[in-house]
């Protein structure tokens, strides 16, 4: 007999989570330390990037001031300048925007594809499920960065191509993660009752299965964003992202390593920006996961 | 590449065992082995096809890539003979069949860049990556399991806080950032350049070899360690809540015995799952780390071959990566069977 | 063994006379959670006795605190639960305030516990024989001697082929077999007191009877005391010499089994007995106790049962009754004696 005080912690119950209201979830996420921190970091970084689009930036990201090359942080150049005399602060701002752009597209892509695949596999079962899951396993077997590499090389570097490459790599994860709750809800007694009562498949799908999946989807989307930013940075680090003069953060880090000894700010600030973005999304995603699935082992 | 996918870890559900299945033990094991190998082969074939197709989508073809601008100076006859040599221009399925056939005979083709056989190129590069991956895995497991056990043993206290912060940063900071920072610090602060010397194999110069591989392995190992730490901590806490842990305490076992004998042993199952997944990410991570630390491994070979449209090499290298991943999966399953008696009897 | 402890006369009334030292004496045991702003009590001042070699049944609904009380005896309360007040004397030795080392020394050797769910109470990773041997080995037993003890213990609980069973894993055994293994595990240390926390609730009725008979036999052979927790009065009738009834974290009645069934002294006990289907005429309705059990952490003022009690008087809402001796040989905590029941 369990000795836990009060009610025992439920494990992830897609049936129950379908009924939680959206507002209460946000509040609970905000109540947690990691949720608060993550959300604040994300908002700050996103704002930092977005304001550059309306002109709030120290200089244009591609303005070269050759006589100012490789100068350290100062009032006019908060993050210093690079070897072309470009202001790193502005470039970081644009780098953030670029990262977010690519990541959002990539995650949108893999969410749609992965969720469709997962729902289909879970809902329809049988051969469909076997085929989809087999395909997912296949994509899994290829390390995702290799896949992204091959695709980017095939399609050429660029924003959309990067997004596509990254998105395809993460889709199998969505499919797998979504399939579980779909199966669980499909087997739930109230859904079976609905079928007996003559509910159409479409009704069951939209009114019962999708809401159950939304919780786990929210968690995965957040984590996927973090992962996409990381992969995008890795790809552009390797020179496979949007080509110069685009200020992608990974490329800045790559260039920055050449000047690390004499101008550490070339390496430090873009690296910090990438890390902050990823940490923010990870923290937020963790908090979301804690809210949806308290038994995930974090007290 | 640091991994973010800690939610992917799914617990293996031990199949229900028939009662008194001792007699079926031998047969069951052989059957399980058979299925596993079959699945592995199917996956590999699928991977081979996917890679083959993706690479064929590359614009430009091998000849122009390898000869560069001078390709335009070839006569049609020279073009045709080169086409024939490299197997271009034939229908795709034929090309695939030829390649697969060669593969089964140990012939992976020729590199258009260097003229060496793909097999020899891979043969030189593979040990480097293998050593790197194994070293990184060892570092990651040691880091992850020890911090995880300590964090779970003193939840809410310093060890836990420290471990979780380490996990957070270890997972979030990209491996290339860690690697770049390490290289910068080592060379600029400590004036330490093991990679400036030519790569030394493990058996030719062990000391130099370890020096050259340690920091790349550490870079990758931090990501692995972070994910493993989280899984360890979570699993230890989950298992401690199980009824049999209370039974063990009720018999008068010491806290240490209960933790190590019962809790950790059961926690090893999800830890093994996570380790297998991490190894997959690790293979991808070698690509980046070998660039940063200038190691002549498979990852670097892969990037260069893709950029140079050296199909045969790219295919071969990717296939080897996929094979590695599949082997790790098999290894993981074997480890399950070793740890969990419920799996063995199926 | 330290000091002698409580003498028979100073114990609460209702205990059968025993020459030996009582196996367990619990006085005013209060268990709860101590937080910065307030303390929440779940078990309120429980008094229990188990004489040497005696079979006590502890009856109560879920949430009555019966399991917590026994876990406190073993020192197995999981934080933040703790013993706030009271005394637990096991064969005369005070356990409240004892160090973890002291508690560990008595667990498995002086007192042993078997649990409700045999499916999850054994570690799936280890062979059954190893798990039975674990306890004695941890207490410093010799490996060969313990191995022999394991085999004889397994044979004692009814396994025809102990050598085979000890090499099996828990998932290869049925629920009833696992429970027998747990009993063997518990008994191997020859404890003075065996605590059985609803060990048969998760098993089907035929197995339940087997286990009951097994424990009765072993108890008689080893001369150990048994505290059997259950919510099933039928089990109590078959097994216990004395019964303690718990409600909302308190003991409301204690009596020898026959006396309890023939002449219950507390309205709650009476209501429990009344609800048993055996007293029903064919076609009659099942009797319930009106209302629902209270939250043990915040029981009603006065007697916790008074909102549901058909015999409640004004005093019941304000004063909490204490256990008082009754003529039948037991004790009950109630302001209204049976003579005045309606």
């Amino acid at each position: 007999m369990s000795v836990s005080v009060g009610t025992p912690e439920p494990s992830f119950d897609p049936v129950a989570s379908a009924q939680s209201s959206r507002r209460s979830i946000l509040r609970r996420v905000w109540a947690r330390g990691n949720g608060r921190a993550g959300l604040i970091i994300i908002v700050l970084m996103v704002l930092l990037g977005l304001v550059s689009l309306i002109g709030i930036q120290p200089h244009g990201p591609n303005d070269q001031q050759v006589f100012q090359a490789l100068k350290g942080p100062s009032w006019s150049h908060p993050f210093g300048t690079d070897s072309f005399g470009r202001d790193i602060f502005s470039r970081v701002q644009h780098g953030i925007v670029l990262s977010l752009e690519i990541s959002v597209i990539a995650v949108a892509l893999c969410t749609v594809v992965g969720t469709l695949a997962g729902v289909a596999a879970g809902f329809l079962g049988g051969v469909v499920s076997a085929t989809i899951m087999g395909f997912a396993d296949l994509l899994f077997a290829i390390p995702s960065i290799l896949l992204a590499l091959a695709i980017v090389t095939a399609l050429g570097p660029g924003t959309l191509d990067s997004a596509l490459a990254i998105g395809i790599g993460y889709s199998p994860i969505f499919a797998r993660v979504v399939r579980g709750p779909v199966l669980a809800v499909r087997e739930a007694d109230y859904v079976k009752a609905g079928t007996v009562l003559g509910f159409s498949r479409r009704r069951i799908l939209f009114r019962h299965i999708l809401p159950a999946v939304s919780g786990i989807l929210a968690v995965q989307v957040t984590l996927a964003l973090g992962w996409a930013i990381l992969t995008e940075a890795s790809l552009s680090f390797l020179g496979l992202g949007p080509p110069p003069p685009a200020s992608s953060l990974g490329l800045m880090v790559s260039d920055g390593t050449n000047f690390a000894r004499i101008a550490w700010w070339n390496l430090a600030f873009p690296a910090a920006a990438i890390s902050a973005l990823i940490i923010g999304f990870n923290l937020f995603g963790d908090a979301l996961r804690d809210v949806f699935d308290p038994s995930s082992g974090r007290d | 590449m640091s991994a973010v996918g800690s939610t992917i870890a799914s617990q293996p559900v031990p199949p229900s065992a028939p009662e008194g299945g001792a007699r079926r033990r031998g047969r069951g094991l052989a059957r399980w082995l058979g299925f596993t190998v079959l699945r592995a082969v199917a996956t590999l074939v699928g991977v081979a096809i996917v890679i083959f197709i993706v690479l064929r989508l590359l614009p430009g073809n091998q000849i122009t890539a390898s000869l560069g601008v001078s390709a335009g100076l070839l006569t049609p006859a020279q073009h045709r003979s080169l086409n024939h040599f490299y197997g271009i221009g034939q229908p795709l399925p034929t090309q695939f069949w030829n390649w697969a056939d060669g593969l089964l005979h140990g012939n992976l083709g020729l590199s258009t860049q260097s003229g060496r056989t793909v097999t020899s190129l891979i043969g030189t590069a593979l040990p480097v990556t293998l050593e790197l991956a194994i070293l990184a895995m060892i570092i990651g497991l040691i880091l992850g399991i020890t911090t995880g056990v300590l964090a779970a043993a003193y939840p809410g206290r310093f060890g836990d806080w420290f471990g979780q912060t380490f996990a957070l940063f270890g997972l979030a900071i990209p491996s290339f950032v860690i690697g770049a920072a390490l290289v910068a610090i080592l060379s600029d602060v400590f004036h330490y350049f093991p990679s400036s010397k030519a790569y030394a194999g493990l058996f030719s110069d062990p000391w130099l070899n370890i020096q050259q591989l340690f920091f790349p392995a550490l870079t990758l190992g931090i990501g692995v360690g972070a994910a493993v730490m989280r899984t360890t901590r979570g699993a230890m806490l989950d298992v401690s809540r199980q009824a049999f842990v209370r039974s063990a305490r009720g018999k008068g076992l010491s806290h240490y015995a209960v933790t190590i004998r019962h809790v950790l042993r059961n926690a090893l199952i999800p830890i093994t799952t996570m380790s297998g997944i991490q190894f997959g990410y690790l293979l991808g991570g070698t690509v980046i780390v070998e660039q940063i630390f200038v190691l002549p491994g498979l990852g670097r070979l892969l990037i260069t071959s893709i950029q140079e449209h050296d199909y045969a090499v790219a295919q071969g290298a990717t296939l080897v990566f996929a094979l590695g991943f599949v082997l790790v999966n098999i290894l993981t399953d074997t480890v399950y069977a070793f740890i969990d008696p419920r799996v063995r009897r199926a | 063994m330290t000091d002698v402890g409580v003498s028979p006369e100073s114990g609460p009334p209702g205990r059968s006379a025993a020459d030996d030292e009582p196996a367990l004496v619990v006085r005013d045991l209060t268990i709860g959670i101590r937080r910065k702003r307030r303390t929440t009590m779940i078990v309120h001042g429980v008094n229990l006795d188990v004489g040497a070699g005696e079979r006590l049944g502890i009856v109560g609904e879920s949430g009555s605190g019966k399991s917590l009380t026994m876990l406190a005896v073993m020192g197995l309360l999981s934080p933040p639960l703790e013993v706030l007040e009271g005394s637990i004397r096991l064969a005369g030795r005070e356990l409240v305030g004892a160090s973890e080392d002291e508690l560990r020394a008595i667990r498995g050797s002086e007192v042993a516990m078997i649990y409700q769910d045999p499916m999850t109470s054994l570690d799936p990773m280890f062979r059954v024989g190893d798990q039975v041997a674990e306890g004695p080995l941890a207490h410093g037993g010799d490996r060969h001697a313990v191995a022999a003890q394991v085999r004889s213990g397994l044979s004692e609980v009814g396994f025809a082929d102990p050598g085979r069973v000890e090499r099996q894993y828990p998932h290869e055994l049925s629920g009833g077999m696992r429970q027998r293994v747990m009993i063997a595990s518990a008994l191997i240390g020859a404890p003075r007191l065996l605590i059985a926390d609803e060990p048969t609730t998760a098993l089907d009725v035929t197995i339940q009877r087997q286990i009951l008979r097994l424990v009765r036999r072993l108890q008689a052979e080893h001369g150990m005391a048994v505290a059997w927790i259950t919510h099933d009065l039928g089990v109590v009738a078959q097994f216990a010499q004395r019964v303690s009834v718990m409600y909302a974290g308190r003991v409301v009645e204690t009596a020898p089994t026959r006396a309890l069934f023939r002449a219950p002294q507390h309205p709650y006990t009476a209501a429990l007995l009344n609800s048993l289907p055996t007293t029903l005429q064919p076609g009659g309705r099942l009797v319930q106790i009106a209302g629902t059990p209270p939250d043990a952490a915040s029981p009603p003022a006065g007697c916790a049962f008074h909102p549901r009690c058909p015999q409640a008087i004004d005093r019941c809402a304000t004063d909490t009754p204490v256990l008082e001796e009754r003529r039948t040989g037991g004790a009950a905590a109630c302001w209204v004696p049976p003579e005045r029941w309606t």
Side-chain angles (χ1 to χ4, degrees), chain A residues 79 82 86-96 233 236-237 246-259 265-271 274, chain B residues 176:
Chain A
F79 284 176
D82 69 358
R86 296 180 290 198
D87 176 46
I88 291 184
F89 189 85
S90 317
R91 287 183 65 78
V92 166
Q93 283 180 297
H94 276 263
I96 293 176
S236 57
F237 177 84
S247 52
S248 77
L249 294 171
L251 199 57
M252 290 171 73
V253 170
S254 170
D255 293 337
T257 51
N258 299 330
F259 299 104
W265 48 92
N266 276 271
L267 173 60
F269 290 111
I274 299 175
Chain B
F176 67 85

Side-chain angles (χ1 to χ4, degrees), chain A residues 165-192:
Chain A
I166 297 170
I168 291 185
Y170 208 78
S171 308
I173 295 178
F174 265 89
R176 260 209 198 160
V177 160
V178 162
R179 181 168 159 266
V182 170
L183 272 176
V185 171
R186 195 186 70 173
E187 297 304 311
D189 286 339
Y190 72 89
V191 170
K192 286 186 167 166

Side-chain angles (χ1 to χ4, degrees), chain C residues 87-323:
Chain C
S87 138
I88 301 174
R89 294 191 100 101
L90 183 78
R93 191 186 191 159
E94 179 61 59
L95 297 183
V96 175
S99 71
E100 180 63 24
D101 285 336
E102 288 172 5
L103 287 174
R104 220 181 324 125
I106 59 143
R107 280 187 211 131
S109 58
E110 298 280 319
V111 58
M113 190 160 173
I114 58 180
Y115 310 91
Q116 184 169 354
D117 190 357
M119 297 309 196
T120 52
S121 292
L122 290 172
D123 189 331
M125 305 277 133
F126 293 97
R127 289 184 216 268
V128 147
D130 292 333
Q131 298 194 50
V132 176
E134 239 184 343
L137 285 176
H139 285 110
D142 163 72
R143 198 173 297 187
H144 292 293
V146 169
Q149 282 177 322
V150 167
R151 232 162 281 144
S152 71
L154 286 174
S155 143
E156 220 187 356
V157 295
F159 286 112
D161 189 357
R164 186 165 170 273
V165 172
E166 69 181 356
R167 294 180 49 73
Q168 289 188 294
Y169 287 94
H171 68 272
E172 296 174 301
L173 302 175
S174 72
M177 291 162 87
R178 287 185 226 194
Q179 197 56 280
R180 288 172 193 265
V181 167
M182 285 234 294
I183 294 172
S185 243
L187 258 39
I188 196 171
R192 272 178 210 272
L193 172 67
L194 172 70
I195 303 175
D197 187 356
E198 303 201 52
T200 54
T201 306
L203 305 169
D204 66 60
V205 187
T206 42
I207 309 287
Q208 186 167 305
R209 278 197 73 189
Q210 290 175 13
I211 302 283
L212 260 173
R213 286 219 294 259
L214 174 67
V215 176
R216 248 196 104 136
R217 175 169 61 83
L218 293 170
Q219 181 261 340
E221 284 172 16
H222 290 250
M224 74 184 166
V226 176
W228 189 296
I229 302 173
T230 180
H231 60 265
D232 184 347
L233 284 169
V235 167
V236 161
Q238 290 177 63
F239 180 82
Q241 289 167 315
R242 274 178 55 245
V243 185
S244 284
V245 180
M246 285 185 71
Y247 184 82
R250 286 189 170 82
V251 174
V252 294
E253 179 167 0
T254 297
T257 314
R258 256 207 196 115
L260 190 93
F261 276 81
R262 287 224 185 99
Q265 299 293 307
H266 193 283
Y268 177 59
T269 319
L272 281 178
L273 291 167
N274 208 21
S275 66
L276 287 176
T278 51
T279 59
L280 209 54
Q281 301 286 8
R285 288 185 132 201
L286 286 173
V287 180
Q288 296 175 311
I289 308 178
T292 49
D295 176 10
S298 52
C303 171
F305 188 58
H306 87 260
R308 310 168 72 187
C309 181
Q311 317 298 341
I313 55 175
D314 291 335
R315 194 180 178 194
C316 299
T318 50
D319 298 340
T320 313
V322 289
L323 277 173

Side-chain angles (χ1 to χ4, degrees), chain A residues 1-5, chain C residues 67-68 71 81 116:
Chain A
M1 190 150 89
S2 151
V3 218
S4 53
V5 180
Chain C
S67 289
L68 280 182
L71 281 168
L81 283 168
Q116 184 169 354

Side-chain angles (χ1 to χ4, degrees), chain A:
Chain A
M1 190 150 89
S2 151
V3 218
S4 53
V5 180
T7 47
E9 310 242 78
S11 58
F12 182 69
D13 183 358
V15 173
S17 87
Q19 282 123 29
S20 303
S21 80
R22 207 161 296 151
R23 204 176 302 147
S24 80
I25 290 176
L26 265 176
R27 203 176 300 146
R28 275 147 74 195
V29 170
W30 183 258
R32 317 188 86 87
N34 52 2
R36 243 197 324 262
L39 199 56
I40 292 177
I41 294 177
I42 294 176
V43 168
L44 280 177
M45 295 299 292
V46 170
L47 278 178
L48 182 66
L50 287 181
V51 298
S52 72
L53 293 174
I54 52 175
I56 303 180
Q57 52 188 340
H59 305 265
N62 296 319
D63 295 348
Q64 299 186 12
Q65 303 178 317
V66 181
F67 297 110
Q68 298 290 319
L70 295 178
K71 287 266 194 306
S74 61
W75 280 119
S76 62
H77 298 283
F79 284 176
T81 57
D82 69 358
S83 58
F84 291 107
R86 296 180 290 198
D87 176 46
I88 291 184
F89 189 85
S90 317
R91 287 183 65 78
V92 166
Q93 283 180 297
H94 276 263
I96 293 176
V97 171
L98 201 60
S99 277
L100 288 173
E101 207 182 308
I102 295 178
S103 306
V104 166
I105 298 175
V107 172
L109 180 73
C110 70
T111 305
V112 167
V113 170
T115 307
L116 278 175
V119 170
F123 196 61
L124 300 173
V127 177
V128 175
S129 170
T131 327
I132 294 180
M133 284 300 122
F135 205 65
D137 282 341
L138 216 89
L139 282 177
F140 255 144
I142 306 176
S144 46
I145 199 170
L146 299 185
L147 197 61
L149 233 164
I151 295 175
V152 166
T153 318
L155 302 173
T159 311
L160 264 175
D161 308 302
S162 295
L164 182 69
I166 297 170
I168 291 185
Y170 208 78
S171 308
I173 295 178
F174 265 89
R176 260 209 198 160
V177 160
V178 162
R179 181 168 159 266
V182 170
L183 272 176
V185 171
R186 195 186 70 173
E187 297 304 311
D189 286 339
Y190 72 89
V191 170
K192 286 186 167 166
T195 323
V196 168
L197 284 172
F199 289 176
S200 73
R201 271 174 142 190
R202 180 193 292 185
R203 176 168 172 175
I204 294 179
L205 188 65
F206 282 100
R207 291 194 54 187
H208 298 293
I209 301 213
L210 286 183
V213 169
S214 61
I216 212 169
L217 214 57
V219 175
Q220 274 305 318
V221 164
T222 316
L223 293 176
L225 278 170
W227 180 89
I229 294 174
L230 193 152
T231 311
E232 188 278 323
S234 307
L235 282 176
S236 57
F237 177 84
L238 291 171
L240 296 167
S247 52
S248 77
L249 294 171
L251 199 57
M252 290 171 73
V253 170
S254 170
D255 293 337
T257 51
N258 299 330
F259 299 104
R261 195 195 303 216
I262 47 176
W264 56 268
W265 48 92
N266 276 271
L267 173 60
F269 290 111
I274 299 175
S275 307
L277 271 174
I278 302 174
I279 290 178
F281 278 106
N282 280 10
L283 279 173
F284 189 65
D286 282 347
L288 267 181
R289 194 179 348 131
D290 291 344
V291 165
F292 283 112
D293 179 11
S295 73
S296 57
R298 309 185 105 245
D299 291 319

Side-chain angles (χ1 to χ4, degrees), chain B residues 218-281:
Chain B
L218 181 66
T219 306
L220 287 173
I222 287 180
V224 172
V228 168
M229 179 263 168
R230 274 199 176 178
T231 308
T232 306
R233 179 186 178 278
M236 300 278 293
L237 288 174
D238 278 342
V239 173
S240 322
R241 287 194 266 259
Q242 305 260 5
F244 60 80
V245 173
R246 185 191 51 196
S247 299
R249 284 187 67 203
K251 289 185 224 169
L253 262 63
S254 70
H255 185 66
Y256 176 78
V258 172
T259 309
I260 304 294
R261 256 183 75 122
H262 290 279
V263 181
L264 186 56
R265 183 80 190 263
N266 277 272
L268 280 180
I269 298 174
I271 293 175
T272 307
T273 311
M274 179 50 86
S275 303
I277 295 175
Q278 284 307 306
F279 197 88
Y281 290 126

